[in-house]
Amino acid sequence: MSAGVCRFFSELLRRNAQLGMRGLTNYYLSCCVNSLLQSLAATWELAGILEKWATAGLRADSRNVPLQLKKVLAAMRSDPPQPCPHRDFLNCLDRNSIHLNIQHDADEVFLSILNLIQQQMEDRDLALEIQNLYKISMETQLQCLECNSVQSRSTYLLSLPLHIKEDHNSLEGCMASFFEHQELRGANSCFCSQCGTRKPSRRGVKLNSLPQILCIQLKRFRNMRGSTRKMDCEVTFPETFDFSESLREVFSANFSQDDCRYSLYAVVVHCGCAVSGHYTAFVRHKDNKQWYYADDSHVQQTSWEDVQTSYGGRYRGTAYMLMYRRDSKEPTST
Ligand SMILES: [Zn+2]
């Protein structure tokens, strides 16, 4: 690297550090993981749980994803800034089949990281604490349309996959559709234990509880006749929203939380088409509450108006993953 290029990078690192956010160099096509890391670094609850994990006696394991995640999140905050704090983490993912030099799907990588944390973290209590941070608990009800008997099943998701329509969408509308009743007939009929055979059924999903961190995937990639197409259509999403105001009807009878207000703090953006693209991220700073835009090593302060340009419908990057945080309750005086 020439002296001029070196000066350029150290100046960039210094400037990003002053902004309170570190850029991450594109290391063997790592923009997808870079954008996820920016979002995970903004999820300070996650770093907080990993910090509680006593790893001092652990053998330095280059294959252990939670250990390397703990290290990279700390390295992204270190002073002075490191030129490539995420290299070991990327190599660790590569050893766990999330390979370098491949363009990945951000939601798939996100769920793989959460899954690998569950598999590889020896402290089970802390591993479950991480799972609970994201856990969306639901109840699926299947009603036989012939004998009316109902079968209920509890399930959970770590990220809410939302189907989007060809035209205009709103996040609240997409969420309402996710929980809408669906009639399953013909080949989609379900087995009814009362009737002892497959019968037309009605499926409904209700929320049992909402997590601290609500991760949402806008399903922009659709498989059509063997090839994947990206849907650039507009999906509006609010900076803050309250489930109990707009989506109360999706709560199950067991739902007992009274705090359902959420604020957006990270958006993973996909630019380009289904076969070749680039990932960037908007993240909201913990302390100064400002929005920042991270495009690999380049970080700049931005605004909520800029974040809204990722709604889609234009020749720009489109929001692909949204991360909302439940607003903390106002401390009550006793
Ligand atoms: Zn039946």
Side-chain angles (χ1 to χ4, degrees), residues 16-145:
N16 288 349
Q18 278 176 346
L19 284 173
M21 216 183 123
R22 308 286 166 81
L24 296 166
T25 47
N26 193 312
Y27 180 81
Y28 294 101
L29 295 183
S30 66
C31 64
C32 170
V33 177
N34 288 0
S35 304
L36 279 176
L37 276 175
Q38 295 292 3
S39 315
L40 295 175
T43 314
W44 60 79
E45 297 87 346
L46 176 65
I49 299 171
L50 288 168
E51 283 304 317
K52 288 193 281 181
W53 184 24
T55 50
L58 270 187
R59 193 164 49 90
D61 189 343
S62 57
R63 286 182 60 92
N64 188 300
V65 170
L67 179 66
Q68 296 303 329
L69 180 62
K70 176 182 171 170
K71 287 184 174 176
V72 63
L73 294 179
M76 283 168 74
R77 296 190 303 267
S78 76
D79 226 356
Q82 296 177 19
C84 199
H86 55 325
R87 188 175 44 207
D88 289 349
F89 182 67
L90 290 164
N91 286 324
C92 174
L93 291 181
D94 187 65
R95 292 184 187 101
N96 283 278
S97 302
I98 302 168
H99 295 299
L100 294 165
N101 275 322
I102 289 177
Q103 184 63 258
H104 292 284
D105 176 283
D107 188 68
E108 272 175 32
V109 173
F110 169 72
L111 292 173
S112 298
I113 291 172
L114 291 185
N115 193 27
L116 288 160
I117 290 174
Q118 294 310 309
Q119 289 170 19
Q120 300 178 348
M121 201 163 168
E122 285 164 12
D123 190 321
R124 297 309 306 149
D125 290 343
L126 291 180
L128 284 177
E129 215 179 303
I130 291 176
Q131 191 174 73
N132 286 335
L133 193 60
Y134 296 97
K135 194 170 181 176
I136 308 158
S137 296
M138 298 176 306
E139 194 174 284
T140 309
Q141 290 195 335
L142 206 59
Q143 183 183 23
C144 171
L145 290 176

Side-chain angles (χ1 to χ4, degrees), residues 232-244:
D232 279 311
C233 45
E234 189 174 71
V235 186
T236 60
F237 49 86
E239 200 174 19
T240 59
F241 80 95
D242 192 333
F243 262 95
S244 57

Side-chain angles (χ1 to χ4, degrees), residues 143-149 192-197 199-200:
Q143 183 183 23
C144 171
L145 290 176
E146 231 152 81
C147 72
N148 284 328
S149 67
C192 169
S193 52
Q194 290 289 318
C195 300
T197 179
K199 292 286 179 189

Side-chain angles (χ1 to χ4, degrees), residues 160 162-163 170-181 205 243 246-247 249-250:
L160 198 61
L162 297 183
H163 184 83
S170 71
L171 183 70
E172 297 90 332
C174 293
M175 285 204 266
S177 313
F178 179 90
F179 292 99
E180 244 165 37
H181 285 267
V205 186
F243 262 95
S246 48
L247 288 157
E249 67 278 6
V250 308

